[in-house]
Amino acid sequence: MEFRTLRVFVEVVRAGGFSAAAGRVHATQSTISKAVRQLEDEIGVPLLNRGPAGVTLTAAGRIVFQRGQALLADRDTLMTELQELAGLRRGLLRIGLPPIGSSELFAPVFTLYRQRYPGVDITLVEHGSDRLEELLRASEIDLAASLLPVSDEFDWRPVHRDPLVALMAPDAPLAQSPGPITLSDLRAMPFILFDSGFALNRIIRAACTRHGFEPEVTARSSQIDFIIRLAAAGLGVAFLPRLIARARVHVPVAQVPLDEPSTDWVMATLWRRGAYLPQAARAWLEIAASRPD
């Protein structure tokens, strides 16, 4: 059994189909299909049920998928340990960072890391926290930045804590509030949220649930500047950590402090609990810990 065909099969399952997997592994759909068929021929049983709506796992496929993920993770760990025989004169750091806060929190770490370890290759993946945790769980990255709280399957170190602010048009009724506001105060306003996969959405929605309402969502985006402009134009209320709002707002928009328990934006760096942490990843953690919050 070749690791290449096993990795292709795992990606097909994760992506939910051949065409989506082809984009992830940078191969044609026919190449992907041929690799999976080769694996099925080698094992001797079908691994996937193929249908118009996508693919699903057979009983044998579930076993191969679960074991395959572990084998691929062990293989990556083995290669990393061998690379580290040469120390950090060379190596690979695979890290996932979210769009929100990376430039403010991680760009200085990235710069210092590159200065200290110029021979280490850095594979940077950018997604929302949910997707990054999925990649970390599958051992496709070594470290991920995500919002707390997180699953017990991860170890983590805190990076930064910041309260949220509500962004709205300057002429909105609550824009000139003399003090902090709560989400209950905003229930009559439409919300502008990030795309699915962003942990900040879960924090906001959970707080709304505690107040007994479901917000009306008028727009979603993964672009911070676009969300800010929508809020400034009066489309609704958006939410950002105070640090990010102060650094990114370049249009007339009100920033009203949010006084809401359990909604602080707490960024942390995660890794799989009990997994081998490569030397290149440990060096990143050391540099990040040496920077003031």
Side-chain angles (χ1 to χ4, degrees):
M1 182 183 299
E2 296 182 2
F3 280 109
R4 181 186 64 83
T5 55
L6 186 59
R7 190 176 296 278
V8 167
F9 169 71
V10 168
E11 284 301 328
V12 169
V13 176
R14 289 176 183 161
F18 293 93
S19 59
R24 291 190 179 188
V25 301
H26 308 293
T28 64
Q29 185 171 339
S30 62
T31 300
I32 298 296
S33 181
K34 185 182 298 183
V36 173
R37 183 66 69 186
Q38 177 183 335
L39 183 61
E40 290 178 319
D41 290 343
E42 182 178 355
I43 293 175
V45 293
L47 301 177
L48 296 174
N49 297 310
R50 299 158 172 83
V55 297
T56 58
L57 287 167
T58 64
R62 282 192 293 272
I63 295 173
V64 174
F65 178 64
Q66 292 169 359
R67 297 295 185 184
Q69 289 185 103
L71 285 170
L72 291 171
D74 288 343
R75 187 258 186 193
D76 290 342
T77 298
L78 170 63
M79 297 305 297
T80 298
E81 291 187 39
L82 291 174
Q83 288 176 350
E84 289 182 354
L85 290 175
L88 282 183
R89 291 191 300 274
R90 60 186 178 87
L92 174 65
L93 171 65
R94 305 176 303 166
I95 187 167
L97 299 179
I100 305 176
S102 290
S103 58
E104 291 79 9
L105 297 178
F106 298 109
V109 180
F110 196 103
T111 300
L112 186 54
Y113 190 96
R114 176 57 71 200
Q115 291 172 349
R116 290 188 185 177
Y117 308 110
V120 175
D121 292 329
I122 301 177
T123 299
L124 176 61
V125 179
E126 296 179 284
H127 285 291
S129 294
D130 289 352
R131 175 59 178 158
L132 291 180
E133 290 180 21
E134 179 184 328
L135 294 174
L136 185 60
R137 191 176 292 111
S139 302
E140 294 188 20
I141 52 179
D142 305 308
L143 298 172
S146 185
L147 296 187
L148 298 182
V150 295
S151 167
D152 290 341
E153 62 194 303
F154 300 122
D155 282 324
W156 53 271
R157 286 186 185 177
V159 175
H160 185 81
R161 175 186 290 270
D162 216 32
L164 297 182
V165 296
L167 305 179
M168 61 190 76
D171 58 354
L174 292 173
Q176 304 304 321
S177 176
I181 59 176
T182 69
L183 283 173
S184 185
D185 297 325
L186 297 167
R187 68 170 65 211
M189 293 185 67
F191 282 25
I192 303 169
L193 298 180
F194 284 89
D195 283 336
S196 60
F198 284 73
L200 184 57
N201 288 354
R202 292 201 311 272
I203 293 174
I204 296 296
R205 285 188 174 276
C208 291
T209 299
R210 290 194 294 270
H211 283 289
F213 76 98
E214 178 71 18
E216 174 196 350
V217 179
T218 188
R220 296 178 182 271
S221 176
S222 61
Q223 303 298 316
I224 296 176
D225 291 337
F226 185 54
I227 285 178
I228 293 172
R229 289 187 176 275
L230 291 179
L235 192 64
V237 58
F239 304 92
L240 282 176
R242 181 178 59 191
L243 171 74
I244 312 305
R246 288 178 175 176
R248 300 291 289 269
V249 170
H250 305 296
V251 295
V253 64
Q255 301 185 36
V256 185
L258 197 63
D259 182 13
E260 192 68 58
S262 302
T263 59
D264 276 4
W265 185 79
V266 186
M267 182 66 71
T269 304
L270 320 181
W271 61 95
R272 288 183 301 130
R273 176 165 293 173
Y276 174 76
L277 194 61
Q279 185 178 351
R282 296 195 298 271
W284 175 277
L285 292 174
E286 291 171 4
I287 293 175
S290 69
R291 295 190 64 254
D293 187 354

